[in-house]
Amino acid sequence: MTIGLVGRKVGMTRIFTDDGDSLPVTVLDVSDNRITQIKTPESDGYAAVQVAFGKRRASRVVKPLAGHLAKAAVEAGRTLKEFRAKPEELAALKVGGKLGVELFKVGQKVDISGVSIGKGFAGVIKRHNFSSNRASHGNSVSHNRPGSTGQNQDPGRVFPGKRMAGHLGNVRRTVQNLVVVRVDTERQLLLVKGAVPGSSGRDVIVCPTAKG
């Protein structure tokens, strides 16, 4: 199944295996994924399911979206996400229903997308992992500098894409092949081994892995 879930990163903790090994895990709250629309090849040209996640005040919802949600009898959410699927996978779903953590099982590999933590303006050493110069023996206030970036008279310019100082983080990233180590159906929590992009409280998207 290619259908995924939208969730909230709760934070990181660790769990212990039966052998006593410690596993670092990220806790994801994937509760209350509400189905707002089911798209079919006959009506839309492709098969997909659209879900809403989170809460949003009614005054913050634009009128076209409010009408779309009212038609589905679904409460507005802060995130609206669409998952492509095969038509036969959508047969058991209905508008107004919910998708739960039961979509995943222990040992399954997933891809998780989120917005990485923003770190502001950073130099080349932190941003691109450059090595610094020696900080003594005649090196005056240049041990953390990028070095020369220009060219000769020809071409006489800095090429686009040159690795330089700039904004670090706050971009969408996907971590692939993370293993599901625990599924809490009662609290609708997903425990995934390893780190997930973004800070605690941010929304993430969990999908079955694309690489298998």
Side-chain angles (χ1 to χ4, degrees), residues 20-21 32 36 48 54 88 96 98 116 133 143 145 156 164 184 196 210:
D21 296 330
D32 205 19
T36 57
E88 54 269 21
K98 291 186 178 182
S116 62
N133 298 315
H143 61 285
R145 298 302 173 88
M164 302 177 72
D184 190 336
V196 168

Side-chain angles (χ1 to χ4, degrees), residues 26-40:
T26 302
V27 181
L28 305 175
D29 178 9
V30 293
S31 61
D32 205 19
N33 275 255
R34 309 176 293 279
I35 300 176
T36 57
Q37 185 179 6
I38 295 177
K39 298 187 176 182
T40 61

Side-chain angles (χ1 to χ4, degrees), residues 52-134:
F53 176 79
K55 306 292 183 182
R56 183 179 289 273
R57 287 181 294 175
S59 61
R60 296 291 184 179
V61 181
V62 295
K63 288 186 177 180
L65 180 58
H68 174 67
L69 297 174
K71 183 179 179 181
V74 171
E75 183 184 1
R78 64 174 179 268
T79 301
L80 204 63
K81 173 64 180 175
E82 186 177 285
F83 297 99
R84 292 287 188 104
K86 297 178 181 179
E88 54 269 21
E89 294 177 347
L90 304 177
L93 305 179
K94 61 179 182 179
V95 176
K98 291 186 178 182
L99 294 175
V101 75
E102 298 81 9
L103 290 178
F104 301 102
K105 58 184 179 180
V106 175
Q108 183 178 355
K109 292 184 177 181
V110 294
D111 296 342
I112 300 181
S113 302
V115 179
S116 62
I117 297 175
K119 299 178 182 297
F121 190 94
V124 292
I125 292 175
K126 182 175 182 179
R127 190 183 187 205
H128 299 296
N129 201 28
F130 282 13
S131 60
S132 60
N133 298 315
R134 61 194 301 175

